[in-house]
Amino acid sequence: MKVWEGLFMNKQKALLPITTFAMMFSFAVWAVFSPLASTFQQMYGLTSTQKSILVAIPVLLGSVMRLPLGIWTDRIGGRRLFSLLLLFLVIPLVGAGFADSYAMLLFWAFFIGMAGTSFAISVTFVSRLTPPEKQGTALGINAMGNFGTAVAAFSVPSIAAAFGVPWAFWGMIIPVVVMLVLVWFFTPDMPKPKQQKTVRESLSVLKYKHTWTLSLFYFVTFGAFVAFGIYLPSLLVDLYGLTPVDAGMRAAGFTVLATLARPVGGYLGDKIGAERVLTFVYAGMTIGALVIAFGMENIWVMTAACLFVAVMSGLGNGAVFKLVPQLFPAETGAVTGLVGAWGGLGGFFPPIVMGIIKDATGSYVLSFLLLSLFTLICFLLNRLVFGKKAGEPAKRFAS
């Protein structure tokens, strides 16, 4: 008996680092098309809108499927579901390497989007095995798996330049398989829920106002993180004529800073309250988006403003997911999936909108004015909803 208890405790200690790295490489897969977008634009003569669609397509499935995978994680366990996801990702990575047309790239990009669901699995997995008083910090550390988009930004262009574009996809298979082995053999099973909920019961969280409020908040903070992470390389190439490798390295800086800020947001949520953190976050993002809109012609102003928005979005992501288990302790998986899905969708629409606006107006200014408007709305809503009610049970605010 002591042997099994010791084995479980060892796996418990390994849970956070393994799931964090597994999500990191999954996110690298999720973002693999972004650093290659300008290359594909030249290869196939794509418009800005077509290029934006290619970059955004993986975000779609990775967002929509977060809800069911969050629910399924509660039902069948994080170890099993994460392992199945990693095994599945090998298929579209192989296919994308053999793609020889824009249509085939879109086809495989759609299924590569499943990599984005790793977030819902990993967060639910970790939160279910972490004491409530440490969840904000643990989930902030776990969500550093978002660093995977930076891994893609600075590694994919170099791999493509050295070995050819197909190997940018095939090379990702190696770390995915390694993480599959680690997740399957070295993480613990989740405790089975005392009562197995039906899908309808799991979806009952849709009736709570807090569910939709947190979804909007994450739509903006994580949406900004994803949108900047996947579109910034193309944006920098368009604005300043940088090479894909140079643009990818600069975009990686945004992702790294936002990712490092995320556990800080979770920690501050534990210490001073997530609603206070979000007040500062949305005020900062509103100002940062305005600076980008009117100062993007200067690369130094653009750089400083983007890095500031990176910090704000990272803090916001950590703070939002401090509130999820706090307000929904019994329905963390379902709410994580739903909120995560909206966050992913927040990253899906902006690149497409930016491409359309660029084709229509020849400028990106309107895109960042819209971001500023959305963050201002979130600032006001946070003050209205959580100014006095953040610590109260979620069910008191059912619609």
Side-chain angles (χ1 to χ4, degrees), residues 77-97:
R79 184 176 72 91
R80 293 181 179 87
L81 199 58
F82 216 150
S83 299
L84 287 172
L85 172 65
L86 292 167
L87 182 61
F88 170 82
L89 291 180
V90 174
I91 300 172
L93 283 172
V94 171

PDB file of all heavy atoms in Angstrom, residues 77-97:
ATOM      1  N   GLY A  77     -10.940  11.715 -17.155  1.00  0.00           N
ATOM      2  CA  GLY A  77      -9.632  11.952 -16.568  1.00  0.00           C
ATOM      3  C   GLY A  77      -8.657  12.648 -17.501  1.00  0.00           C
ATOM      4  O   GLY A  77      -8.658  12.409 -18.709  1.00  0.00           O
ATOM      5  N   GLY A  78      -7.811  13.497 -16.914  1.00  0.00           N
ATOM      6  CA  GLY A  78      -6.867  14.277 -17.693  1.00  0.00           C
ATOM      7  C   GLY A  78      -5.771  13.448 -18.328  1.00  0.00           C
ATOM      8  O   GLY A  78      -5.333  13.728 -19.450  1.00  0.00           O
ATOM      9  N   ARG A  79      -5.294  12.420 -17.639  1.00  0.00           N
ATOM     10  CA  ARG A  79      -4.197  11.611 -18.188  1.00  0.00           C
ATOM     11  C   ARG A  79      -4.611  10.925 -19.479  1.00  0.00           C
ATOM     12  O   ARG A  79      -3.876  10.957 -20.482  1.00  0.00           O
ATOM     13  CB  ARG A  79      -3.760  10.564 -17.158  1.00  0.00           C
ATOM     14  CG  ARG A  79      -2.564   9.724 -17.600  1.00  0.00           C
ATOM     15  CD  ARG A  79      -2.140   8.780 -16.492  1.00  0.00           C
ATOM     16  NE  ARG A  79      -3.093   7.701 -16.327  1.00  0.00           N
ATOM     17  CZ  ARG A  79      -3.029   6.515 -16.956  1.00  0.00           C
ATOM     18  NH1 ARG A  79      -2.045   6.286 -17.817  1.00  0.00           N
ATOM     19  NH2 ARG A  79      -3.928   5.592 -16.738  1.00  0.00           N
ATOM     20  N   ARG A  80      -5.769  10.317 -19.486  1.00  0.00           N
ATOM     21  CA  ARG A  80      -6.231   9.602 -20.680  1.00  0.00           C
ATOM     22  C   ARG A  80      -6.518  10.558 -21.836  1.00  0.00           C
ATOM     23  O   ARG A  80      -6.105  10.328 -22.978  1.00  0.00           O
ATOM     24  CB  ARG A  80      -7.477   8.781 -20.352  1.00  0.00           C
ATOM     25  CG  ARG A  80      -7.242   7.625 -19.388  1.00  0.00           C
ATOM     26  CD  ARG A  80      -8.538   6.856 -19.136  1.00  0.00           C
ATOM     27  NE  ARG A  80      -8.336   5.741 -18.229  1.00  0.00           N
ATOM     28  CZ  ARG A  80      -8.389   5.832 -16.912  1.00  0.00           C
ATOM     29  NH1 ARG A  80      -8.635   7.008 -16.343  1.00  0.00           N
ATOM     30  NH2 ARG A  80      -8.199   4.776 -16.142  1.00  0.00           N
ATOM     31  N   LEU A  81      -7.234  11.641 -21.528  1.00  0.00           N
ATOM     32  CA  LEU A  81      -7.654  12.546 -22.594  1.00  0.00           C
ATOM     33  C   LEU A  81      -6.468  13.312 -23.185  1.00  0.00           C
ATOM     34  O   LEU A  81      -6.386  13.494 -24.405  1.00  0.00           O
ATOM     35  CB  LEU A  81      -8.704  13.522 -22.067  1.00  0.00           C
ATOM     36  CG  LEU A  81      -9.557  14.211 -23.132  1.00  0.00           C
ATOM     37  CD1 LEU A  81     -10.281  13.187 -23.993  1.00  0.00           C
ATOM     38  CD2 LEU A  81     -10.567  15.152 -22.482  1.00  0.00           C
ATOM     39  N   PHE A  82      -5.530  13.735 -22.325  1.00  0.00           N
ATOM     40  CA  PHE A  82      -4.353  14.439 -22.822  1.00  0.00           C
ATOM     41  C   PHE A  82      -3.522  13.519 -23.722  1.00  0.00           C
ATOM     42  O   PHE A  82      -3.011  13.929 -24.772  1.00  0.00           O
ATOM     43  CB  PHE A  82      -3.493  14.932 -21.644  1.00  0.00           C
ATOM     44  CG  PHE A  82      -2.846  16.265 -21.889  1.00  0.00           C
ATOM     45  CD1 PHE A  82      -2.571  17.131 -20.831  1.00  0.00           C
ATOM     46  CD2 PHE A  82      -2.490  16.678 -23.178  1.00  0.00           C
ATOM     47  CE1 PHE A  82      -1.972  18.365 -21.038  1.00  0.00           C
ATOM     48  CE2 PHE A  82      -1.897  17.919 -23.395  1.00  0.00           C
ATOM     49  CZ  PHE A  82      -1.630  18.751 -22.326  1.00  0.00           C
ATOM     50  N   SER A  83      -3.397  12.265 -23.319  1.00  0.00           N
ATOM     51  CA  SER A  83      -2.633  11.308 -24.120  1.00  0.00           C
ATOM     52  C   SER A  83      -3.279  11.090 -25.482  1.00  0.00           C
ATOM     53  O   SER A  83      -2.595  11.041 -26.515  1.00  0.00           O
ATOM     54  CB  SER A  83      -2.514   9.973 -23.379  1.00  0.00           C
ATOM     55  OG  SER A  83      -1.828  10.130 -22.150  1.00  0.00           O
ATOM     56  N   LEU A  84      -4.593  10.976 -25.512  1.00  0.00           N
ATOM     57  CA  LEU A  84      -5.310  10.795 -26.784  1.00  0.00           C
ATOM     58  C   LEU A  84      -5.137  12.008 -27.691  1.00  0.00           C
ATOM     59  O   LEU A  84      -4.965  11.867 -28.905  1.00  0.00           O
ATOM     60  CB  LEU A  84      -6.797  10.542 -26.520  1.00  0.00           C
ATOM     61  CG  LEU A  84      -7.172   9.170 -25.956  1.00  0.00           C
ATOM     62  CD1 LEU A  84      -8.643   9.140 -25.563  1.00  0.00           C
ATOM     63  CD2 LEU A  84      -6.872   8.074 -26.982  1.00  0.00           C
ATOM     64  N   LEU A  85      -5.182  13.192 -27.098  1.00  0.00           N
ATOM     65  CA  LEU A  85      -5.000  14.414 -27.889  1.00  0.00           C
ATOM     66  C   LEU A  85      -3.617  14.444 -28.541  1.00  0.00           C
ATOM     67  O   LEU A  85      -3.493  14.712 -29.740  1.00  0.00           O
ATOM     68  CB  LEU A  85      -5.180  15.643 -27.010  1.00  0.00           C
ATOM     69  CG  LEU A  85      -4.827  16.991 -27.664  1.00  0.00           C
ATOM     70  CD1 LEU A  85      -5.770  17.293 -28.822  1.00  0.00           C
ATOM     71  CD2 LEU A  85      -4.840  18.119 -26.649  1.00  0.00           C
ATOM     72  N   LEU A  86      -2.588  14.168 -27.764  1.00  0.00           N
ATOM     73  CA  LEU A  86      -1.222  14.207 -28.290  1.00  0.00           C
ATOM     74  C   LEU A  86      -1.030  13.169 -29.393  1.00  0.00           C
ATOM     75  O   LEU A  86      -0.360  13.431 -30.400  1.00  0.00           O
ATOM     76  CB  LEU A  86      -0.222  13.966 -27.160  1.00  0.00           C
ATOM     77  CG  LEU A  86      -0.138  15.096 -26.115  1.00  0.00           C
ATOM     78  CD1 LEU A  86       0.621  14.634 -24.878  1.00  0.00           C
ATOM     79  CD2 LEU A  86       0.514  16.339 -26.700  1.00  0.00           C
ATOM     80  N   LEU A  87      -1.639  12.006 -29.227  1.00  0.00           N
ATOM     81  CA  LEU A  87      -1.561  10.970 -30.258  1.00  0.00           C
ATOM     82  C   LEU A  87      -2.243  11.434 -31.542  1.00  0.00           C
ATOM     83  O   LEU A  87      -1.727  11.243 -32.648  1.00  0.00           O
ATOM     84  CB  LEU A  87      -2.206   9.683 -29.751  1.00  0.00           C
ATOM     85  CG  LEU A  87      -2.168   8.470 -30.680  1.00  0.00           C
ATOM     86  CD1 LEU A  87      -0.727   8.061 -30.973  1.00  0.00           C
ATOM     87  CD2 LEU A  87      -2.942   7.303 -30.059  1.00  0.00           C
ATOM     88  N   PHE A  88      -3.393  12.097 -31.404  1.00  0.00           N
ATOM     89  CA  PHE A  88      -4.135  12.583 -32.573  1.00  0.00           C
ATOM     90  C   PHE A  88      -3.349  13.619 -33.363  1.00  0.00           C
ATOM     91  O   PHE A  88      -3.385  13.640 -34.600  1.00  0.00           O
ATOM     92  CB  PHE A  88      -5.475  13.176 -32.133  1.00  0.00           C
ATOM     93  CG  PHE A  88      -6.202  13.906 -33.226  1.00  0.00           C
ATOM     94  CD1 PHE A  88      -6.961  13.214 -34.158  1.00  0.00           C
ATOM     95  CD2 PHE A  88      -6.101  15.286 -33.348  1.00  0.00           C
ATOM     96  CE1 PHE A  88      -7.616  13.880 -35.185  1.00  0.00           C
ATOM     97  CE2 PHE A  88      -6.753  15.968 -34.367  1.00  0.00           C
ATOM     98  CZ  PHE A  88      -7.508  15.251 -35.292  1.00  0.00           C
ATOM     99  N   LEU A  89      -2.600  14.486 -32.676  1.00  0.00           N
ATOM    100  CA  LEU A  89      -1.911  15.598 -33.337  1.00  0.00           C
ATOM    101  C   LEU A  89      -0.873  15.135 -34.355  1.00  0.00           C
ATOM    102  O   LEU A  89      -0.533  15.885 -35.272  1.00  0.00           O
ATOM    103  CB  LEU A  89      -1.242  16.497 -32.294  1.00  0.00           C
ATOM    104  CG  LEU A  89      -2.176  17.303 -31.392  1.00  0.00           C
ATOM    105  CD1 LEU A  89      -1.377  18.140 -30.411  1.00  0.00           C
ATOM    106  CD2 LEU A  89      -3.103  18.182 -32.216  1.00  0.00           C
ATOM    107  N   VAL A  90      -0.384  13.920 -34.201  1.00  0.00           N
ATOM    108  CA  VAL A  90       0.609  13.405 -35.151  1.00  0.00           C
ATOM    109  C   VAL A  90       0.028  13.364 -36.567  1.00  0.00           C
ATOM    110  O   VAL A  90       0.723  13.658 -37.547  1.00  0.00           O
ATOM    111  CB  VAL A  90       1.079  11.997 -34.726  1.00  0.00           C
ATOM    112  CG1 VAL A  90       1.996  11.387 -35.783  1.00  0.00           C
ATOM    113  CG2 VAL A  90       1.793  12.064 -33.373  1.00  0.00           C
ATOM    114  N   ILE A  91      -1.262  13.042 -36.688  1.00  0.00           N
ATOM    115  CA  ILE A  91      -1.890  12.872 -38.004  1.00  0.00           C
ATOM    116  C   ILE A  91      -1.896  14.174 -38.813  1.00  0.00           C
ATOM    117  O   ILE A  91      -1.381  14.211 -39.942  1.00  0.00           O
ATOM    118  CB  ILE A  91      -3.315  12.310 -37.859  1.00  0.00           C
ATOM    119  CG1 ILE A  91      -3.278  10.944 -37.163  1.00  0.00           C
ATOM    120  CG2 ILE A  91      -4.008  12.200 -39.225  1.00  0.00           C
ATOM    121  CD1 ILE A  91      -4.653  10.403 -36.801  1.00  0.00           C
ATOM    122  N   PRO A  92      -2.463  15.288 -38.306  1.00  0.00           N
ATOM    123  CA  PRO A  92      -2.457  16.513 -39.118  1.00  0.00           C
ATOM    124  C   PRO A  92      -1.057  17.095 -39.322  1.00  0.00           C
ATOM    125  O   PRO A  92      -0.818  17.776 -40.333  1.00  0.00           O
ATOM    126  CB  PRO A  92      -3.350  17.478 -38.327  1.00  0.00           C
ATOM    127  CG  PRO A  92      -3.361  16.959 -36.940  1.00  0.00           C
ATOM    128  CD  PRO A  92      -3.242  15.482 -37.057  1.00  0.00           C
ATOM    129  N   LEU A  93      -0.124  16.838 -38.413  1.00  0.00           N
ATOM    130  CA  LEU A  93       1.240  17.323 -38.615  1.00  0.00           C
ATOM    131  C   LEU A  93       1.891  16.616 -39.805  1.00  0.00           C
ATOM    132  O   LEU A  93       2.575  17.249 -40.614  1.00  0.00           O
ATOM    133  CB  LEU A  93       2.075  17.106 -37.350  1.00  0.00           C
ATOM    134  CG  LEU A  93       1.834  18.091 -36.204  1.00  0.00           C
ATOM    135  CD1 LEU A  93       2.570  17.653 -34.952  1.00  0.00           C
ATOM    136  CD2 LEU A  93       2.243  19.514 -36.597  1.00  0.00           C
ATOM    137  N   VAL A  94       1.663  15.319 -39.917  1.00  0.00           N
ATOM    138  CA  VAL A  94       2.175  14.591 -41.069  1.00  0.00           C
ATOM    139  C   VAL A  94       1.523  15.106 -42.351  1.00  0.00           C
ATOM    140  O   VAL A  94       2.192  15.389 -43.356  1.00  0.00           O
ATOM    141  CB  VAL A  94       1.928  13.076 -40.918  1.00  0.00           C
ATOM    142  CG1 VAL A  94       2.267  12.344 -42.220  1.00  0.00           C
ATOM    143  CG2 VAL A  94       2.754  12.512 -39.772  1.00  0.00           C
ATOM    144  N   GLY A  95       0.193  15.267 -42.325  1.00  0.00           N
ATOM    145  CA  GLY A  95      -0.540  15.725 -43.502  1.00  0.00           C
ATOM    146  C   GLY A  95      -0.135  17.112 -43.950  1.00  0.00           C
ATOM    147  O   GLY A  95       0.030  17.370 -45.156  1.00  0.00           O
ATOM    148  N   ALA A  96       0.056  18.045 -43.003  1.00  0.00           N
ATOM    149  CA  ALA A  96       0.424  19.421 -43.358  1.00  0.00           C
ATOM    150  C   ALA A  96       1.779  19.469 -44.056  1.00  0.00           C
ATOM    151  O   ALA A  96       2.010  20.299 -44.938  1.00  0.00           O
ATOM    152  CB  ALA A  96       0.433  20.301 -42.112  1.00  0.00           C
ATOM    153  N   GLY A  97       2.683  18.578 -43.656  1.00  0.00           N
ATOM    154  CA  GLY A  97       3.988  18.547 -44.292  1.00  0.00           C
ATOM    155  C   GLY A  97       3.932  18.157 -45.763  1.00  0.00           C
ATOM    156  O   GLY A  97       4.800  18.544 -46.551  1.00  0.00           O
TER     157      GLY A  97
END
